[in-house]
Amino acid sequence: MVSTSTSFASTTAATRTHERRHARGFWIVAFVFMITMAFASAPAPLYVLYQQRDGFDAFTVTLIFAAYAVGVVVSLFLAGHISDRFGRRRVIAPAVVLNVLAALVFLVSPELPGLLLARFICGLGIGMLTATATAHMTELHSAARPGARSRRAEVISTAANIGGLGLGPLLTGFMAEYAPMPLYTPYVVFAFLLLIGLLLVVTVPETVNNVDGTWTYRPQRMDVPQAARGQYLTATLLAFVGFAVFGFFTSLAPAFISGQLRIASHMVAGGVTFIVFASSASFQVLSSRWPRAAQLAAGLSLLAAGLATVIAAITASSLPLLIAGGIVAGSGVGGTFKSAIGSVIAISSADTRGEALTGLFLAGYIGMALPVVALGLIMQSLPLVLSVVIFGSVMLALIVVTAFALIRTRPIVKS
């Protein structure tokens, strides 16, 4: 009896230790995810300073932004899914290293070629990180809380992702406003934080341990059950539309604030971008217990209303309207994107979850790049207001298309 009791106690202690290690790893990955995403969006308030120093026009800013998006898309297509084979931690660590390298390029080569290269390298790292960190957090949460639903992991991972994107411009805007050497100090600070994250992430338990010896490399492809492909494509359309809104606020909105509104404060530019992402993350938390149908309905409605308000703000040159539109649109993106992630996790198997999520993020970052670059091109020959009206109208039309697609694939909205 004593031996049995001792064995049971040892097993229980080992189980608790295992769960604590995975719980700690969950929060470490959340921190690393948030800081790396914050660095990815950090340059947004600095584009105005680069424009003033080097005489950039709006289209050049979109090209710099597009270099990042291209890096993300290339990385997602070629490497975003390989954590299903090599392990989550073995992909997250190199992704963080690439972002440290990008920070160094920003510091040593702050001219246009260096900016393009740094943003591309940053994009490569983010493409490796997004789906991998999301899958890793889901699996760490499952190991730390056996039998618990994945809703908590979904909320925190998407909040780390979107919240990090909002935190970056806010911190950079503050440093650009009050710290010396605004084109250098933010990158030093973020490089330091990324290095701390790198040291921490190597202590996180690995969650992919079953190595398939027959595995061969291939680029990203959509790997979900045949019956769920309609749902999956609808989820990717949600990501495309939502990230297009994020692309506008992280590339051209700061230039609009300084140019059209004549507001020179970097804190304001960074704050507006932060508000969009913060409202997105907040709405994800607020709606975390809603049925998925309610999340999607509210998200699409808010996204449409927010876009209409942003168009009105640009037309009227109104900062309060721009902030209101950003809050409403950001909330809409939060609802739709969280629902999309939850749907992809639900319809994909554990051994292909990273790949399925990679496809979702791939669609999102294509949405972040293409519409914004198109807007920059349109602005070369048309006035700002007309260009934004065209951009917003196309996005509103895509929202309508998405709504009809959701009606045809109702399983995606089940709770």
Side-chain angles (χ1 to χ4, degrees), residues 250-266:
T250 53
S251 60
L252 295 176
F256 167 74
I257 291 169
S258 65
Q260 192 85 354
L261 300 181
R262 307 295 180 188
I263 299 174
S265 171
H266 305 301

Side-chain angles (χ1 to χ4, degrees), residues 159-183:
N161 184 348
I162 306 301
L165 287 170
L167 183 64
L170 184 67
L171 293 177
T172 302
F174 178 83
M175 287 185 277
E177 192 72 27
Y178 300 110
M181 304 177 69
L183 294 180

